[in-house]
Amino acid sequence: MTLLVTGGTGFVMSVVARAWLERDPAARAVILDRSRLDRMAERHFAPVRDRLTVLTGDICDPAQWSGRLDEHDITAIVHGATVTPISRGSAGEAKRQPEADDPARIIDVNLMGTVRLLEWARGKPGLRRFLYVSSGSVYRHHGPDWAGEPLPEDGYVAPLTLYGISKFASEMVVNRYADLFGLSALSVRLASVYGPMDRATGSRNFRHVPNRVAHMALAGDVIRPNSLEPVGDYVHSADVAQAIIALLSAERLRYRHYNIGSGVTATIGDVIGWARERVPGLQVEVTPDERANIVQDVTLKDGMWGAYDLARIERDTDWRPRPGREAFLDYMDWIAANESAANGEGT
């Protein structure tokens, strides 16, 4: 089988592409991305590079890629190409609205890019499944209505940002194409992803709390969060990749939308506590002012910021996420083993 992964030179999608190739020595993958493989991606794909084809092109311009994709027997698609204009993390970054820099580009890539790919895909009779990579940003800031319950896929959808709006609109377009043209199609809504290959790219320059804590701890920096209490549903990129592959491989899918997360929340204090297991001398100073280097809103504890319900994916596949501590420590070990060779590139 040959998997097409759009956005595959970046963060999560590069992990998906490699996981796909590692699971089956006969499998092949094609990446379509506007960027070529950087040095970190070249090292990442080295063990499977002979079965990987990388095509460069703008997802919004099929003339750049449709003919070249026709040369490959694509049997499944993971559409992850996106622009992610999120700015949070430090006090200075929290004041920015990066969506204002180029709002039309966000809509073009995230929505119309999806339409362009669906137009190509609907003419491929050998295509077994189309998986759209959406985001928890489609959800509202609060919910569910029962305290302590994880957020389900039904209801609670109220995106506020252009990113979230474009993601939800794309989900609906995917659903309609599935009905019109008989596609087996679904969308996955990712919680807060961190892990291997998490680095700045041309489409994404944002790091969730586990990434920031892990790098600061390993670098010997003092961590200055504005509070230890803010939470997130943090999920490792390798776990996300396995979840996506499980959904691609499932005999039957009962739903159009699936959450992928850890299913529980961790506080900033939890993540720092895990980091101290690798760096016992880690220094932490709660700093609720402009000097804070990790900033999150202490009032955001549920809705898109809380735990994601995993009942659907657990019902339709045998995938389960790893415990948060185990996944985070695995990531710290990966950083120590892999990113030092990059001489600071992409971290």
Side-chain angles (χ1 to χ4, degrees):
M1 295 179 67
T2 300
L3 176 67
L4 169 62
V5 182
T6 69
T9 70
F11 170 28
V12 179
M13 294 302 100
S14 66
V15 181
V16 171
R18 176 165 164 174
W20 172 266
L21 292 169
E22 288 181 331
R23 67 188 285 272
D24 180 356
R28 303 191 67 84
V30 177
I31 283 174
L32 172 63
D33 202 308
R34 67 175 183 172
S35 301
R36 301 181 184 276
L37 299 180
D38 59 20
R39 284 189 290 171
M40 183 176 285
E42 287 284 7
R43 286 191 299 274
H44 174 70
F45 284 117
V48 294
R49 190 66 176 86
D50 60 326
R51 292 181 286 125
L52 174 67
T53 301
V54 180
L55 305 178
T56 55
D58 187 331
I59 194 68
C60 295
D61 185 0
Q64 297 182 16
W65 48 263
S66 59
R68 291 185 289 165
L69 283 185
D70 288 339
E71 299 172 3
H72 300 270
D73 183 20
I74 304 296
T75 52
I77 295 173
V78 174
H79 177 39
T82 189
V83 175
T84 310
I86 302 174
S87 183
R88 291 191 309 277
S90 69
E93 291 168 344
K95 296 178 179 179
R96 293 187 62 246
Q97 289 288 346
E99 288 186 317
D101 294 342
D102 194 353
R105 179 65 177 167
I106 298 167
I107 302 301
D108 284 345
V109 173
N110 295 2
L111 177 55
M112 294 311 300
T114 303
V115 173
R116 302 301 181 219
L117 186 62
L118 284 165
E119 277 291 292
W120 178 85
R122 71 182 179 91
K124 307 304 169 188
L127 185 67
R128 182 174 178 271
R129 187 153 291 162
F130 185 106
L131 187 150
Y132 175 67
V133 181
S134 187
S135 163
S137 65
V138 304
Y139 292 124
R140 70 190 193 194
H141 282 195
H142 298 291
D145 298 331
W146 304 274
E149 294 290 322
L151 191 70
E153 291 88 346
D154 285 338
Y156 310 105
V157 173
L160 297 177
T161 64
L162 289 177
Y163 177 69
I165 291 166
S166 64
K167 285 294 188 181
F168 185 61
S170 290
E171 289 184 12
M172 297 300 100
V173 170
V174 169
N175 291 350
R176 189 57 182 152
Y177 266 72
D179 291 338
L180 288 173
F181 305 110
L183 296 174
S184 176
L186 69 146
S187 298
V188 295
R189 294 170 178 168
L190 306 185
S192 298
V193 188
Y194 73 96
M197 300 300 291
D198 190 354
R199 68 207 193 281
T201 67
S203 299
R204 180 183 185 274
N205 185 14
F206 172 72
R207 298 178 297 154
H208 285 294
V209 165
N211 176 305
R212 299 175 71 89
V213 169
H215 282 89
M216 290 180 188
L218 291 170
D221 296 337
V222 178
I223 300 178
R224 296 187 176 90
N226 65 315
S227 170
L228 297 177
E229 298 304 317
V231 303
D233 184 330
Y234 301 116
V235 59
H236 193 287
S237 56
D239 290 347
V240 172
Q242 294 303 322
I244 287 174
I245 290 172
L247 289 166
L248 289 175
S249 306
E251 281 289 323
R252 177 188 175 207
L253 297 176
R254 295 176 175 86
Y255 308 100
R256 290 283 179 85
H257 310 99
Y258 292 83
N259 286 335
I260 298 178
S262 68
V264 296
T265 57
T267 66
I268 292 178
D270 291 332
V271 178
I272 289 172
W274 299 334
R276 277 204 170 105
E277 296 186 35
R278 289 288 186 271
V279 185
L282 178 61
Q283 298 183 57
V284 180
E285 298 175 1
V286 176
T287 310
D289 59 29
E290 293 294 319
R291 295 183 299 117
N293 54 23
I294 295 181
V295 175
Q296 286 199 191
D297 190 332
V298 297
T299 67
L300 299 176
K301 293 183 178 294
D302 55 357
M304 65 182 289
W305 310 100
Y308 286 35
D309 191 297
L310 305 181
R312 287 186 177 184
I313 190 170
E314 291 179 348
R315 184 176 297 122
D316 281 2
T317 76
D318 61 1
W319 175 83
R320 302 292 184 274
R322 287 175 292 173
R325 171 185 171 276
E326 175 186 336
F328 178 78
L329 293 177
D330 176 77
Y331 179 47
M332 289 193 75
D333 293 342
W334 185 90
I335 293 170
N338 291 274
E339 291 193 359
S340 59
N343 295 319
E345 177 198 323
T347 60

